[in-house]
Amino acid sequence: MATATEVQRRYGKTQRVDRWWVEPAFLGGGLLLFVIYSTVSALILGNSWHYEAGPYLSPFFEPLIKPGWVPEWISPAVFILWAPLGFRTTCYYYRKAYYRSYLLSPPACAVTEPAKSYSGESKFPLILQNAHRFFLYVALLFIPVLWYGAAKSFWLSGEGFGVGVGSLILVANAFLLMMFTLSCNSLRHMVGGGLNCFSCTAVTRGRRRVWEIQTLWNEHHRGWAWASLISVGMADLYVHLVANGVITDLNTWTNF
Amino acid sequence: MPQAHLKVWRGGNDGEYVEYDVEYEEGMVVLDVVHRLQATQAGDLAVRWNCKAGKCGSCSAEINGKPKLQCMCQMGTFEAGETITIAPLKAFPLIRDLVTDVSWNFRVAETMPELKLSPPDADGHRRMHQIDIDREQEFRKCIECFICQDVCHVIRDHPENQSVFAGPRFFTQLANVAMHPLDQNPSSATVAHGFGLDYCNITKCCTEVCPEGIHITDNAIIPLKERRVDEYYDPVKALIRKISGKK
């Protein structure tokens, strides 16, 4: 005879009859795939797998920081990737995704979690999630950098302006990364959510308008998160494949 | 007339699931079928209910493992012949059958800060603009069914946290005070340690199950967490507060 307490305590024990495990498995798999790909592409292969092709530079390396004192075996991506890594790791959406998929905390709603005790984000290391806004500040700086990289991809040295498939991919990627950053929950708080009186002054009325628009983007933060994650991985792969001669870029230039 | 195959928790903590076949008609909700079961086969079945319109929050239960209002769960959503398991809310002490003791929530409610309104204008009236209270009206839709409290793993899987964690229902109440345009409480009154905001790991189950569709996580908990960062974890804000002398 099962008691209510027993039913509640057993890990994974749930009376849900739907396939509750599909979503955490799918999202966890997607995140794992990206982490493996980006680690291999940007950090392990690094300099040995060309990341620049004509006017294109992989977004994992944008802006290219390659000081002379850094040994060749260290990838220039290490100067870049800490910022998006920190921003995504502390992101409110991704937290939900990996808490469910990896920490099983909980694996799904109304499905018992395995941990015997729980302190959430109240103790080290998870209390560091509160640093999200500081990674947001850095991510905001990256927006013009990514657009600069996208704009640069329309200009081939020696030939001038042109358009290639790579240029379009880098533009789409810059747009999606920008929207992921601009739909952030911390930014929502910053632009107006932290106010209690929207009507008080012309400035607060303006901030309310910005907050309302940003809220529309924020409602799709999950979508922007996944779209930008896929786009940045695909843009990196495309540039690498072109740079290493695996595929040829369709473009308007004659010598590229 | 179609038959529903029900598996209903009977008894207290040492009780068991008992299976019943109950006839139902098109358009019925789970609560209707439970009432028919009570009228025809299980006269002593304990079930709490009141309005049967999704507004009183009394008939919360776990239907096929998901916390829901019995009165808002259409029989038409189940496959023909599917076993429908109806269990009491598992985060609260069981009294009997489908009835639990939710009084912990009322004790938490007593600890919530009250609004401290700013002084009235010269004519004796207090004024607020609609744009300043639009956000909070969403929180006022709460019917206190405590389904969000039940599904929250912080207390569902770890009842020991009930002493340090107020739960999603009360985070909407805190947000209601925190965002009120006339409230004079210091921000620490709503985001202080005592309510256990840091225990929430924003996995959004409360939002998923809310029968009123309140965006508990995005519109109450995350804004409160951000205010909490302002108050306790942001050295830049702390420095600005110190220099400007603002509390």
Side-chain angles (χ1 to χ4, degrees):
Chain A
M1 189 190 297
T3 68
T5 309
E6 281 169 357
V7 167
Q8 186 182 326
R9 286 284 160 264
R10 254 174 262 148
Y11 162 55
K13 187 71 182 175
T14 179
Q15 283 160 328
R16 285 182 61 168
V17 291
D18 57 331
R19 288 186 289 175
W20 56 264
W21 45 270
V22 170
E23 187 182 322
F26 187 74
L27 297 185
L31 284 176
L32 183 66
L33 204 64
F34 181 81
V35 168
I36 293 171
Y37 171 76
S38 55
T39 304
V40 171
S41 171
L43 300 178
I44 297 175
L45 293 176
N47 285 316
S48 61
W49 197 29
H50 303 297
Y51 46 79
E52 264 184 305
Y56 308 148
L57 172 64
S58 158
F60 285 168
F61 298 80
E62 187 77 69
L64 189 57
I65 301 172
K66 215 175 168 182
W69 51 266
V70 175
E72 188 65 11
W73 57 269
I74 292 182
S75 167
V78 298
F79 298 108
I80 309 299
L81 288 188
W82 62 271
L85 177 71
F87 186 51
R88 288 191 189 252
T89 306
T90 58
C91 162
Y92 285 100
Y93 166 68
Y94 281 111
R95 272 144 79 176
K96 172 198 165 189
Y98 66 74
Y99 283 145
R100 285 195 185 190
S101 299
Y102 295 124
L103 302 186
L104 308 175
S105 179
C109 302
V111 177
T112 305
E113 64 181 60
K116 293 275 184 274
S117 64
Y118 174 88
S119 57
E121 298 178 342
S122 66
K123 290 182 181 160
F124 183 81
L126 294 181
I127 199 169
L128 296 177
Q129 304 283 27
N130 289 304
H132 184 52
R133 64 177 57 177
F134 299 104
F135 287 109
L136 166 69
Y137 302 150
V138 180
L140 287 169
L141 296 176
F142 268 82
I143 295 175
V145 171
L146 287 161
W147 277 112
Y148 174 71
K152 226 172 38 176
S153 71
F154 289 90
W155 197 266
L156 181 66
S157 178
E159 285 198 43
F161 180 79
V163 181
V165 172
S167 325
L168 302 177
I169 289 174
L170 290 173
V171 166
N173 180 54
F175 173 75
L176 291 170
L177 287 170
M178 176 183 75
M179 289 311 296
F180 171 58
T181 308
L182 295 184
S183 61
C184 166
N185 290 82
S186 287
L187 188 63
R188 187 176 179 226
H189 172 76
M190 208 189 305
V191 297
L195 293 171
N196 287 355
C197 183
F198 286 135
S199 62
C200 285
T201 65
V203 173
T204 56
R205 285 192 292 275
R207 284 179 66 181
R208 173 181 170 257
R209 190 75 198 114
V210 177
W211 174 78
E212 282 182 329
I213 294 167
Q214 202 273 347
T215 295
L216 296 176
W217 301 338
N218 176 256
E219 285 168 2
H220 303 286
H221 194 46
R222 177 177 64 171
W224 295 120
W226 279 103
S228 60
L229 193 76
I230 293 167
S231 82
V232 75
M234 296 304 284
D236 174 76
L237 180 64
Y238 184 83
V239 174
H240 275 297
L241 293 179
V242 173
N244 290 277
V246 181
I247 58 172
T248 306
D249 180 60
L250 284 176
N251 58 58
T252 58
W253 293 292
T254 48
N255 292 316
F256 172 57
Chain B
M1 199 179 284
Q3 275 208 333
H5 186 66
L6 303 183
K7 208 171 133 186
V8 183
W9 184 266
R10 299 302 314 273
N13 274 332
D14 57 349
E16 61 184 334
Y17 285 103
V18 178
E19 300 192 21
Y20 302 95
D21 288 310
V22 184
E23 288 186 339
Y24 70 95
E25 288 131 53
E26 200 179 334
M28 276 187 163
V29 292
V30 168
L31 185 60
D32 292 323
V33 180
V34 168
H35 280 161
R36 183 164 284 178
L37 169 65
Q38 206 179 32
T40 57
Q41 302 177 51
D44 61 343
L45 174 67
V47 56
R48 186 186 283 131
W49 68 284
N50 193 353
C51 75
K52 249 177 89 174
K55 288 296 165 199
C56 74
S58 303
C59 64
S60 309
E62 300 198 4
I63 301 168
N64 280 353
K66 288 186 181 174
K68 287 180 180 175
L69 293 178
Q70 294 175 70
C71 70
M72 298 305 285
C73 187
Q74 289 281 340
M75 290 302 291
T77 58
F78 300 103
E79 301 286 332
E82 181 181 345
T83 299
I84 304 168
T85 305
I86 309 173
L89 299 180
K90 291 179 186 160
F92 306 117
L94 182 58
I95 296 176
R96 188 165 71 87
D97 300 339
L98 300 179
V99 179
T100 50
D101 174 8
V102 294
S103 60
W104 168 71
N105 294 287
F106 306 133
R107 291 193 292 278
V108 175
E110 287 170 1
T111 67
M112 290 292 109
E114 291 178 5
L115 276 176
K116 285 185 186 163
L117 294 176
S118 54
D121 297 338
D123 60 2
H125 293 288
R126 289 187 177 87
R127 289 178 176 79
M128 345 181 245
H129 291 258
Q130 183 62 40
I131 60 168
D132 293 324
I133 54 166
D134 277 341
R135 275 186 300 186
E136 292 151 71
Q137 288 183 327
E138 180 188 13
F139 309 139
R140 302 292 179 90
K141 291 195 298 180
C142 177
I143 57 173
E144 295 207 313
C145 61
F146 302 127
I147 284 178
C148 59
Q149 303 283 81
D150 177 59
V151 82
C152 179
H153 71 116
V154 180
I155 41 183
R156 181 187 178 90
D157 293 340
H158 306 284
E160 68 278 7
N161 287 335
Q162 284 190 353
S163 58
V164 290
F165 182 73
R169 186 278 168 269
F170 295 103
F171 292 145
T172 61
Q173 200 164 322
L174 288 170
N176 192 36
V177 175
M179 296 174 185
H180 197 285
L182 299 184
D183 181 57
Q184 299 295 295
N185 278 298
S187 56
S188 60
T190 48
V191 296
H193 296 281
F195 303 115
L197 201 53
D198 285 345
Y199 280 69
C200 170
N201 67 348
I202 40 134
T203 41
K204 285 200 172 184
C205 290
C206 51
T207 304
E208 283 183 25
V209 299
C210 178
E212 283 294 309
I214 302 170
H215 295 88
I216 302 172
T217 318
D218 282 302
N219 291 347
I221 295 177
I222 294 176
L224 282 175
K225 275 188 171 254
E226 286 296 316
R227 284 167 189 248
R228 183 161 164 72
V229 177
D230 284 347
E231 187 75 26
Y232 296 105
Y233 301 124
D234 189 336
V236 180
K237 287 252 179 183
L239 189 66
I240 292 170
R241 274 200 301 270
K242 200 167 177 67
I243 292 168
S244 67
K246 282 186 184 170
K247 291 280 175 192

